[in-house]
Amino acid sequence: MPELPEVETIRRDLHDVLSGRMLGPVEVSGTRSVRRHGDSGEVPARSDGRRVLGVERQGKFLLIRLQGPDVLVVHLGMSGQLLLGAPGAARPPHTHVTFGVSGGAELRFVDPRTFGQIFVTTAGSGGDVPELAHLGFDALRPGRGGTRLAAALAGRRAPVKAVLMDQRRVAGIGNLYADEILFGAGVRPDRPAGSLAPNEVRRTARAMVETLRQAITCRGSSLADQQYRDVYGAVGGYQQHHRVYGRQGQPCTRCRTPVVRSRGGGRSTFFCPTCQR
C-alpha cells in the first residue's frame, strides 16, 4: 500500500501539474472507485469544469482543492495509481476514473484491486475535510521533542508498531515505514507502546521524520511487484536504502546480525534482534 512518502511524491507532482488548470471531461467506468457516492455521476458533476487551486495531503489521502468549497479526495488503497497520459492514448488496464486536464493531459486513476477510492466533499469553514476528521497527527509532524507521538503512545499496551500504523493516532505510516522507523529508533516493534521511555519516544520521533524525509527525497519505495509508480509511471528509489524491510536473513547494516522476520495479524515484520530493544 502506498504510504506517506509515496503519496507525498504524487502530491508534489500533481500540485505542479494541476494547479490553475481546469478539470474535464471526467469519466467514471468503475463504480466501486466512487462508492462513497450513491450516484456514480456525482464525481463528474462536481469536478468537471472546475479549476484546481492546489493539491494537499492528509496522511495517505490526497486532497485536490477545487475552486469553491469542494475538495476531490483520493485514497490509493492497496494498488491505486494516478498516472498522467495524453488524451486519446491507450489507457492502462483497470483505469476506473479519468480526468481531462486543460492544456492537453489526462489523469487516470488505475486500481487493479479496487480498494482505493475517489470522492468529492465540501470542506468546512477552516478548509477541513469532515470525512478525514478521524485521522491522527501527520507523521511528518510528531511535535516538538515528540510531544504528539508521546501522547499517542502513552499508556497503551498495544505493540508500538501497531500504534504507529493506527491512522487514528498517527496518519501516514504503514507496514514498511513502521519497520524502518523503529529500526532507526532502536526499538523492537513488539514493545508495548506505553513502555517507551521519554528518550526512546524522542528517538522514535526523530527517526520518523528522518526516514520519511529520506524516502520522499528518493520518491518513495517500489517493491518487487513495482506496483507503486509516480504520476509519470516511474518507480521509486528508496527500496535501495531499506535497512530491515524485506531483508530477512541478511546482515543488519549496523551490527551484521541477521535480520529477523516475524508474522502477525496477516503482516510481516522485519527487525534486528540485537540493535532493537
Side-chain angles (χ1 to χ4, degrees):
M1 176 183 292
E3 301 181 31
L4 187 154
E6 291 76 46
V7 178
E8 177 63 15
T9 299
I10 292 170
R11 183 204 71 77
R12 294 180 181 190
D13 289 344
L14 286 181
H15 183 78
D16 291 342
V17 171
L18 297 183
S19 294
R21 297 194 178 185
M22 305 283 287
L23 297 182
V26 181
E27 303 175 30
V28 175
S29 56
T31 56
R32 179 168 163 76
S33 295
V34 294
R35 58 188 175 274
R36 281 193 183 236
H37 297 291
D39 180 357
S40 62
E42 189 166 354
V43 169
R46 295 176 67 177
S47 57
D48 199 334
R50 304 287 292 280
R51 188 177 302 280
V52 175
L53 302 180
V55 183
E56 302 169 10
R57 178 190 56 77
Q58 191 170 345
K60 301 178 187 178
F61 290 83
L62 287 163
L63 281 60
I64 302 175
R65 299 277 180 181
L66 305 177
Q67 192 169 24
D70 282 349
V71 183
L72 184 64
V73 181
V74 182
H75 189 265
L76 298 174
M78 294 292 292
S79 60
Q81 300 172 334
L82 283 170
L83 301 174
L84 288 168
R91 295 170 179 169
H94 310 292
T95 298
H96 301 305
V97 185
T98 60
F99 298 88
V101 181
S102 63
E106 186 175 81
L107 183 64
R108 292 94 176 256
F109 179 66
V110 181
D111 188 10
R113 300 183 67 181
T114 68
F115 288 114
Q117 59 175 308
I118 294 177
F119 62 93
V120 183
T121 186
T122 300
S125 57
D128 295 337
V129 173
E131 291 85 349
L132 306 185
H134 65 285
L135 294 178
F137 71 86
D138 191 86
L140 279 175
R141 294 182 284 275
R144 187 175 181 85
T147 52
R148 289 178 173 175
L149 179 61
L153 301 178
R156 296 192 57 80
R157 297 180 181 178
V160 60
K161 177 177 178 178
V163 176
L164 291 183
M165 294 175 58
D166 184 346
Q167 302 304 297
R168 297 167 299 176
R169 297 185 177 275
V170 185
I173 298 174
N175 197 45
L176 189 164
Y177 291 103
D179 285 354
E180 291 295 306
I181 289 165
L182 290 171
F183 175 80
V187 174
R188 281 182 63 102
D190 55 359
R191 284 266 306 274
S195 74
L196 270 65
N199 66 313
E200 292 177 311
V201 174
R202 289 192 294 270
R203 287 207 314 263
T204 303
R206 184 168 58 250
M208 181 184 301
V209 174
E210 291 174 351
T211 299
L212 296 175
R213 284 181 176 173
Q214 184 183 5
I216 292 167
T217 298
C218 294
R219 299 185 63 80
S221 295
S222 294
L223 304 182
D225 61 5
Q226 296 193 346
Q227 187 66 54
Y228 163 67
R229 305 266 176 163
D230 66 20
V231 299
Y232 303 105
V235 298
Y238 190 63
Q239 65 276 6
Q240 300 172 20
H241 303 277
H242 291 174
R243 295 167 292 178
V244 286
Y245 188 84
R247 300 188 67 247
Q248 177 186 9
Q250 298 181 44
C252 170
T253 55
R254 286 179 184 159
C255 71
R256 312 305 290 175
T257 300
V259 172
V260 172
R261 176 189 183 190
S262 64
R263 291 190 63 84
R267 296 186 179 91
S268 292
T269 293
F270 301 89
F271 65 97
C272 174
T274 299
C275 292
Q276 295 174 250
R277 300 289 184 178

